[in-house]
Amino acid sequence: MNFLKAQWKNLALFNYEVDAKILEKYLPAGTEIDLWNGKCYVSLIGFLFKETKVLGIKIPFHIDFEEVNLRFYVKHFENGEWKRGVVFIKEIVPKKAITFIANNLYQENYETQKMRHKFIENETTKTFIYQWQVDKKWNTIKLETQKELKAIEIGSEAEFITEHYFGYTKHNATTTFEYEVKHPRWEQLQVENFMLKVDFKRNYGDDFAILQNTKPLSVFLARGSKIKVENKKTIRYENAAKPNITL
């Protein structure tokens, strides 16, 4: 059964290069850092959930809402091929039921905060704003884009950031949870300007305080699509060579 069905819309992606060493303690067993052109990335992402169903049910007042997350990129070798995925440092949403279900069923690191968003459109541009409140202070990410949708080119940095189809969660030193995220290939809007006002240390801890004064390597706006999260399984490593997989 699908854990989650929804539409992910208007994904604002701010991408930073970091030293892979700071991610080692977050790395789930059986995964490796996935690099692009030799660079290790973390991404701050704001987007909108719409038409959300959890375990096949629309939860009243939990159907349309914002999310902001910080994630990095990994790969897992299985059955002779690499599966490319992401690991979340933290996922912030405004709905307590989503946080409760995700943290208890998927052992994710969700947090509930007050959030809001705004979309502005004029004759030539679109503007996307996501905000969330921590310690009574608003964090803000803002993008201004062109209006014409463009394909995400094969082999591009944007493809690397958007085309990861698995999620991995570190349960402990020997156990990893995996789930699959299904969606069609996305399109993008060309980013013209952006602004961030984010307290990275307060939101994500000392390891990511370095992002406070770091310029993103790239900024994208992906249009998004319908998505499904399913096929959860547990991977246990009794030794490095032989994982035990439980569906």
Side-chain angles (χ1 to χ4, degrees):
M1 185 177 184
N2 297 319
F3 163 65
L4 177 74
K5 292 181 73 173
Q7 294 185 50
W8 287 352
K9 305 295 289 183
N10 302 323
L11 294 92
L13 304 113
F14 295 77
N15 311 300
Y16 298 84
E17 183 181 8
V18 298
D19 186 338
K21 290 181 180 179
I22 72 171
L23 301 176
E24 288 179 356
K25 68 182 181 183
Y26 302 99
L27 196 64
T31 68
E32 300 178 15
I33 297 292
D34 194 7
L35 304 177
W36 189 78
N37 283 357
K39 297 175 182 178
C40 176
Y41 281 77
V42 297
S43 297
L44 179 69
I45 303 172
F47 64 102
L48 189 65
F49 268 89
K50 294 186 74 67
E51 297 297 317
T52 305
K53 292 182 181 180
V54 179
L55 301 176
I57 300 171
K58 285 188 176 181
I59 302 173
F61 310 110
H62 290 69
I63 298 170
D64 299 336
F65 55 91
E66 305 88 353
E67 178 174 315
V68 171
N69 63 60
L70 186 71
R71 74 184 194 183
F72 66 97
Y73 302 90
V74 299
K75 56 186 180 179
H76 168 65
F77 195 71
E78 182 178 297
N79 296 327
E81 63 181 9
W82 287 103
K83 300 165 75 172
R84 300 175 62 227
V86 302
V87 177
F88 292 100
I89 301 298
K90 181 185 289 186
E91 296 160 90
I92 299 172
V93 294
K95 304 298 184 180
K96 291 182 179 179
I98 300 296
T99 297
F100 178 83
I101 292 169
N103 288 350
N104 283 275
L105 291 184
Y106 276 70
Q107 283 68 50
E108 292 284 355
N109 185 23
Y110 270 71
E111 181 177 287
T112 306
Q113 299 290 353
K114 186 176 181 180
M115 302 184 75
R116 63 193 184 194
H117 72 278
K118 183 182 292 187
F119 300 150
I120 304 167
E121 185 172 357
N122 61 31
E123 292 183 358
T124 58
T125 65
K126 293 183 177 183
T127 300
F128 304 86
I129 302 169
Y130 296 100
Q131 295 181 294
W132 66 103
Q133 194 176 64
V134 178
D135 295 337
K136 298 183 179 180
K137 295 181 180 179
W138 285 100
N139 297 264
T140 301
I141 57 179
K142 179 179 180 181
L143 288 179
E144 184 181 26
T145 74
Q146 297 179 6
K147 297 181 71 172
E148 182 180 355
L149 282 169
K150 298 171 55 180
I152 294 176
E153 295 182 4
I154 294 174
S156 67
E157 181 187 22
E159 181 190 53
F160 172 81
I161 295 297
T162 59
E163 299 295 307
H164 283 76
Y165 290 96
F166 292 88
Y168 293 96
T169 304
K170 181 178 182 177
H171 180 60
N172 56 40
T174 59
T175 303
T176 295
F177 298 120
E178 178 194 276
Y179 54 88
E180 186 174 3
V181 182
K182 293 184 176 180
H183 66 77
R185 190 178 181 90
W186 288 337
E187 296 178 297
Q188 64 180 328
L189 295 170
Q190 180 66 41
V191 175
E192 296 295 319
N193 296 293
F194 66 88
M195 184 276 287
L196 295 99
K197 185 180 179 183
V198 177
D199 186 338
F200 281 96
K201 182 176 181 179
R202 175 61 187 84
N203 279 277
Y204 305 109
D206 290 342
D207 289 336
F208 300 97
I210 57 170
L211 301 181
Q212 193 69 45
N213 298 308
T214 302
K215 184 178 179 180
L217 283 181
S218 58
V219 182
F220 303 119
L221 192 290
R223 187 61 175 145
S225 67
K226 292 181 179 180
I227 64 95
K228 293 190 293 186
V229 177
E230 57 187 26
N231 298 328
K232 179 190 175 185
K233 65 183 181 183
T234 301
I235 308 171
R236 293 184 175 90
Y237 287 81
E238 295 180 2
N239 59 63
K242 296 182 179 180
N244 294 322
I245 299 174
T246 304
L247 299 178

